[in-house]
Amino acid sequence: MEIPFTVEQFFDVFGTYNTAIWPAQVFAYLLGIIALATAFRETKLSARIVSGILAFFWIWMGVFYHIVHFSVINSAAWIFGIFYIVQGLLFLLIGTIQDKLAFRFSLRPLPIIGACFILYAMVVYPLLGISFGHSYPKAPMFGVAPCPATIFTFGILLWTTKSVPAYLLIIPLLWSIVGISAAVNLQVPQDYGLVIAGIIGTILILIQNSKAKRMAQQAASADAEKPRH
């Protein structure tokens, strides 16, 4: 698919964006660490806090990256921005307001895979960027750039202890597929990790949802079969 801007223009946007929002990048890392620390110690407020942080990331990127900066070279960024804002509002509604999500790390396969995605998003992704010649400020940064933040989102969602509504996965999955174009056409090889996180993360979360639903049905059936006194 042909893109309406050059590779140089793409990275120049990051240069302008990162310079304009500094020190938001540091704040984003602090929020990411808070989300992880909160998820390690599950409390009544932990899910609301983690969901709120995810909401902040997505709304921020929708407004300040896509609409304000990326739209300068790509008119489709307005559409991307709207989708990102919608995703953020969904996290805010489902996770923070309605408290329908729950996050906790445990030594089980899915949370461990999620931790690998998170490590990739926060540490490996920027280091790979430097190795490929994408140095700050002309580089996607964690929490304020779409691709590493989406990888982080899938990682955190693999820490859930409740079923994740399937509609929460649609926009992150679609963006992870867009990552193929960035990896190939825009010379961002680290975005292959986005594609992997999006596809594998979505499949694993849906499988986990299916298992949770089946277990709930079995529990309900067993409860119905108990003799009543």
Side-chain angles (χ1 to χ4, degrees), residues 99-121:
D99 197 24
K100 291 185 177 180
L101 298 175
F103 307 91
R104 184 176 62 192
F105 177 75
S106 61
L107 292 175
R108 295 181 295 109
L110 264 61
I112 291 173
I113 293 171
C116 291
F117 289 168
I118 292 166
L119 179 65
Y120 184 88

Side-chain angles (χ1 to χ4, degrees), residues 154-174:
F154 277 110
I156 283 288
L157 288 177
L158 285 169
W159 287 17
T160 53
T161 57
K162 294 181 181 179
S163 293
V164 178
Y167 55 80
L168 273 183
L169 304 174
I170 295 173
I171 293 174
L173 175 61
L174 290 177

